[in-house]
Amino acid sequence: SRPGKARLIASNVLGQSTNKKDAVEYEASTRAHQLERALALIDDNAIHWIGDGSTHVGKPEIEQALRTSFETIENEEYRISEIVWVLQSADVAACIFSFEWSGSVRGSPASECGRGTSVLARKADTWVVVHESLSKGSTQMPGRVEATSDSSV
């Protein structure tokens, strides 16, 4: 499993949503390993499940996982693809996706790929990540799933 145990995909998820400004901000901050800017787009009570079985509950735990990841992985490249929106409404969005990362850990090449789920919620004028789950496994998507829109959610 990936050292640091956490990588958020909100940059790409939010990039597909209505709030492009937040997407650009989050993507820039995570790719540049700017922790405070990244944390601004994570809900205070977010829950993250990682493929190694670890759970990070709340922004302080997620912050520590991100900090460890940023300090551990050098020259990191992180990509997500095959984003499939399974729910979109005015206040909530959820998607599944494939991810892969590569970089250097303690001087040795390292990489991993897998699949993920992210749930976002609108808080005032900002989209924030409220849940994310990353796991190893097939990234073969079972066909395109159309997003569900429900303004009553």
Side-chain angles (χ1 to χ4, degrees):
S1 137
R2 179 173 186 235
K5 304 176 185 104
R7 167 59 75 189
L8 306 175
I9 58 86
S11 59
N12 294 61
V13 173
L14 291 169
Q16 301 291 324
S17 76
T18 58
N19 199 329
K20 302 275 187 190
K21 177 179 167 281
D22 291 336
V24 170
E25 175 74 10
Y26 188 84
E27 182 171 19
S29 64
T30 56
R31 289 190 192 281
H33 289 191
Q34 295 173 334
L35 187 60
E36 294 306 316
R37 287 174 58 196
L39 289 171
L41 294 172
I42 300 171
D43 188 70
D44 290 344
N45 299 308
I47 299 171
H48 291 248
W49 294 339
I50 309 303
D52 66 357
S54 65
T55 298
H56 306 282
V57 179
K59 194 178 282 191
E61 287 187 21
I62 295 167
E63 175 181 2
Q64 185 56 50
L66 280 173
R67 184 179 308 281
T68 300
S69 178
F70 290 173
E71 292 170 354
T72 302
I73 303 172
E74 298 175 358
N75 303 315
E76 182 181 22
E77 295 287 330
Y78 185 80
R79 294 165 296 284
I80 69 166
S81 60
E82 301 181 274
I83 299 170
V84 177
W85 289 97
V86 295
L87 173 69
Q88 290 182 353
S89 74
D91 297 316
V92 178
C95 68
I96 58 175
F97 56 92
S98 297
F99 72 89
E100 61 181 305
W101 68 268
S102 62
S104 178
V105 177
R106 293 182 292 283
S108 297
S111 64
E112 188 172 86
C113 62
R115 57 190 174 201
T117 301
S118 191
V119 179
L120 297 97
R122 183 185 302 272
K123 302 282 178 131
D125 293 331
T126 303
W127 285 91
V128 293
V129 176
V130 296
H131 175 67
E132 184 161 280
S133 177
L134 301 175
S135 63
K136 294 180 183 179
S138 172
T139 58
Q140 194 78 13
M141 293 296 179
R144 194 87 179 150
V145 176
E146 293 300 317
T148 303
S149 294
D150 182 358
S151 60
S152 66
V153 173

